Amino acid sequence: NAGVTQTPKFQVLKTGQSMTLQCAQDMNHNSMYWYRQDPGMGLRLIYYSASEGTTDKGEVPNGYNVSRLNKREFSLRLESAAPSQTSVYFCASTGQQGGVQPQHFGDGTRLSIL
Amino acid sequence: GDSVTQMEGPVTLSEEAFLTINCTYTATGYPSLFWYVQYPGEGLQLLLKATKADDKGSNKGFEATYRKETTSFHLEKGSVQVSDSAVYFCALSDFGRGADGLTFGKGTHLIIQP
């Protein structure tokens, strides 16, 4: 019953450092997503991957890069972290695009940039 | 672009009270609608969904009806419990606009007092 697994759960970085957030799902889902959650803002889509080998920008992609390593894994990279990227990051997956099937979420990575 | 507006909290109720959390949306296409729930320290879990007008989603005593004429998807429960205390997010998926991912409201923090 692992579902969507995110690592690490917590991280503190200094401004300018780089970091990769990892996400893996074991539900054989095609589509995967990265969101950030900020107080009073709800969740906003950073990037998504409709299938292995494809990635697309979401609402707030600036400062991030992603890699769909294989069908199971979708990573999010911060090349030069900034305080504005302090947030809780959620990975999600779904078997089919378009909202017919719901998205399944990981427990989040809480990231602080000093 | 697409957007979701929901009542902001915190909403504080006594146990066994009736709950309504309002949600309205704007979308260019014909979206699917969702309610997600987030318990402290956890990721989002799907509570219910509706994919077409007049559909009623229901789960764990919660209900919401997709009202196209009023562009609304209000969440209701007849008798809340302390265990319902959480943050509730209304969301839509509008795949017809050519992009994937969910658009979320800002979330409503619900507090149920015994």
Side-chain angles (χ1 to χ4, degrees), chain B residues 19 35 78 104 106:
Chain B
L19 168 70
W35 277 101
F104 286 88
K106 293 183 178 181

Side-chain angles (χ1 to χ4, degrees), chain B residues 31-95:
Chain B
S32 295
L33 302 174
F34 305 85
W35 277 101
Y36 281 84
V37 59
Q38 184 180 33
Y39 299 101
E42 299 184 8
L44 278 71
Q45 303 173 24
L46 178 70
L47 182 59
L48 52 83
K49 71 171 186 176
T51 58
K52 60 182 187 296
D54 300 325
D55 266 2
K56 177 185 284 188
S58 61
N59 186 26
K60 300 180 181 179
F62 291 90
E63 294 182 340
T65 301
Y66 189 144
R67 300 290 188 197
K68 191 170 186 291
E69 64 276 14
T70 55
T71 61
S72 64
F73 193 54
H74 304 320
L75 182 68
E76 296 182 336
K77 186 175 185 182
S79 177
V80 292
Q81 306 299 313
V82 172
S83 57
D84 294 327
S85 298
V87 181
Y88 291 81
F89 291 93
C90 186
L92 68 82
S93 175
D94 189 9
F95 190 56

Side-chain angles (χ1 to χ4, degrees), chain A residues 3-79:
Chain A
V4 178
T5 303
Q6 294 183 233
T7 55
K9 295 189 182 302
F10 303 93
Q11 185 70 47
V12 179
L13 295 177
K14 294 181 180 178
T15 298
Q17 287 185 315
S18 62
M19 177 173 184
T20 300
L21 280 61
Q22 306 287 351
C23 174
Q25 52 89 11
D26 62 0
M27 295 173 283
N28 200 36
H29 284 168
N30 290 315
S31 299
M32 298 185 73
Y33 309 82
W34 277 105
Y35 296 89
R36 60 178 289 172
Q37 182 181 27
D38 301 297
M41 296 291 293
L43 280 77
R44 292 179 292 170
L45 182 65
I46 305 171
Y47 269 94
Y48 66 96
S49 171
S51 61
E52 186 178 352
T54 68
T55 61
D56 285 286
K57 295 179 180 179
E59 180 185 356
V60 289
N62 291 345
Y64 304 96
N65 287 301
V66 290
S67 295
R68 184 71 182 269
L69 305 171
N70 48 56
K71 191 171 185 178
R72 290 187 63 247
E73 299 173 287
F74 187 39
S75 62
L76 178 72
R77 183 163 178 83
L78 286 70
E79 290 290 353

